[in-house]
């Protein structure tokens, strides 16, 4: 079979997989949601923007003769992941998820688990403090009900719309971040609490390690649930799965 892969990306893991596929000269394209203004350069063709729901993704799979889909989206991009499950089942295209294990609290961590962004907003209904809000720019407006805090916002791109948070500092930086830098940032800004999605993996973990080192509380937004699908946590395991699904890995 001549493979023609679709990688659903937007993560460090998707970029690593693309590098590996390019090295192995396996035909593949990377799909991005288009959430950042200047996506990283990739060694594979890139398409940007939604497919048009499950129906649109089924059409793309069929029209482009996609043979395999690897869903390496962000763990909070649950709609895309659910759509991929439904579309691949309908088009009978094998699907693998390449995901990162969720972060786990360690003894001494002060994590308050909340199920979603609304839960994080409710958890901030408290006396004024200084909040490191690391949830991505899509969700900033949701925090408007708690204008009493000073928010330190770290974003990949500058905010698109005027921010409804009157007291804030915006830091535009796409990382990678280190424990030392994030520890210094939290000390410099007098951070009292960190709000984070449970993204998992190492790419975004510095803030969690820094909060741990400084004994700071974390409002941890738990991951949305996604139906079970074949899932691996590293690129080589994804390559093994491709080999088991008819792709010649050339080794
Ligand atoms: P989502 O809610 O799962 O997706 C919404 C729609 O965006 C999908 O139905 C799809 O549109 C399109 N989409 C998402 N990922 C795509 C991809 N890789 N290629 C093509 N289209 C894609 O995801 P989201 O709206 O991007 O974000 C949800 C949460 O994940 C947010 O909390 C966000 O901060 C976080 N997050 C996302 C990314 C990312 O790269 N997407 C990165 C970091 C964090 P159609 O239905 O039209 O196909």
């Amino acid at each position: 079979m001549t493979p023609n892969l679709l990688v659903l990306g937007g993560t460090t893991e998707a970029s690593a997989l693309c590098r590996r596929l390019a090295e192995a000269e396996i035909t593949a394209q990377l799909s991005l949601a288009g959430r950042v203004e200047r996506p990283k350069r990739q060694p594979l063709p890139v398409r940007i923007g939604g497919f048009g729901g499950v129906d649109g993704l089924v059409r793309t799979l069929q029209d482009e003769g996609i043979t395999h889909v690897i869903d390496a989206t962000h763990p909070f991009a649950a709609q895309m992941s659910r759509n991929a499950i439904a579309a691949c089942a309908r088009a009978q295209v094998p699907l693998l998820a390449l995901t990162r294990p969720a972060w786990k609290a360690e003894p001494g961590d002060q994590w308050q688990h909340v199920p979603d962004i609304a839960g994080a907003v409710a958890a901030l209904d408290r006396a004024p403090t200084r909040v490191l809000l690391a949830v991505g720019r899509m969700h900033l407006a949701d925090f408007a009900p708690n204008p009493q805090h000073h928010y330190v916002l770290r974003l990949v791109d500058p905010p698109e719309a005027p921010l409804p948070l009157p007291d804030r500092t915006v830091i535009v930086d796409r990382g990678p971040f280190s424990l030392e830098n994030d520890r210094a940032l939290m000390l410099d800004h007098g951070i009292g609490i960190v709000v984070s999605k449970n993204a998992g993996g190492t790419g975004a973990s510095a803030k969690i390690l820094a909060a741990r080192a400084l004994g700071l509380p974390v409002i941890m937004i738990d991951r949305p649930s996604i139906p079970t699908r074949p899932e691996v946590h590293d690129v080589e395991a994804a390559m093994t799965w491709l080999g088991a699904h008819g792709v010649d890995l050339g080794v």
Side-chain angles (χ1 to χ4, degrees):
M1 178 216 314
T2 308
N4 183 16
L5 275 59
L6 175 64
V7 177
L8 303 171
T11 57
T12 316
E13 292 74 12
S15 297
L17 176 65
C18 288
R19 283 195 298 277
R20 185 69 178 83
L21 293 171
E23 273 166 27
E25 298 183 0
I26 295 171
T27 303
Q29 61 177 301
L30 173 67
S31 175
L32 300 175
R35 304 289 177 237
V36 300
E37 283 164 18
R38 287 166 292 109
K40 280 190 193 143
R41 284 174 69 87
Q42 297 290 342
L44 295 177
V46 176
R47 64 166 300 289
I48 296 182
F51 298 94
V54 176
D55 290 345
L57 182 53
V58 169
R59 265 195 307 279
T60 299
L61 298 178
Q62 292 172 338
D63 292 353
E64 299 192 16
I66 299 295
T67 56
H68 303 76
V69 175
I70 300 190
D71 177 359
T73 51
H74 190 273
F76 281 72
Q79 188 60 52
M80 186 68 251
S81 292
R82 291 188 195 110
N83 289 358
I85 293 171
C88 287
R90 223 201 278 166
Q92 299 193 315
V93 172
L95 168 70
L96 176 71
L98 171 59
T99 60
R100 350 162 161 165
W103 295 320
K104 291 200 169 62
E106 293 187 358
D109 282 345
Q110 305 169 54
W111 288 11
Q112 178 181 355
H113 289 274
V114 295
D116 50 24
I117 294 283
V121 174
L124 282 174
D125 183 7
R126 58 171 80 185
T129 183
R130 298 175 68 87
V131 182
L132 177 63
L133 188 59
V135 295
R137 64 177 175 172
M138 287 170 76
H139 302 292
L140 297 179
D142 296 337
F143 288 83
N146 292 307
Q148 71 275 27
H149 303 303
H150 178 85
Y151 292 94
V152 175
L153 310 170
R154 184 164 62 191
L155 303 168
V156 176
D157 294 303
E160 294 166 310
L163 289 173
L165 308 172
D167 188 10
R168 85 265 168 167
T169 303
V170 176
I171 301 170
V172 177
D173 193 351
R174 70 161 66 206
F177 305 111
S178 69
L179 164 59
E180 292 70 33
N181 285 350
D182 276 9
R183 192 173 175 282
L185 180 142
M186 289 178 194
L187 288 172
D188 289 350
H189 290 273
I191 295 299
I193 192 163
V194 175
V195 181
S196 174
K197 293 177 189 160
N198 194 333
T202 53
S205 63
K207 58 183 176 286
I208 303 305
L209 301 177
R212 182 172 292 151
L214 294 170
L216 289 177
V218 176
I219 296 174
M220 184 61 80
I221 305 170
D222 290 332
R223 296 174 167 201
S225 72
I226 296 169
T228 311
R229 62 237 151 119
E231 192 167 350
V232 295
H233 292 318
D234 66 79
V235 167
E236 285 316 310
M239 297 302 285
T240 303
W241 179 87
L242 285 170
H245 286 77
V247 177
D248 180 1
L249 303 178
V251 283

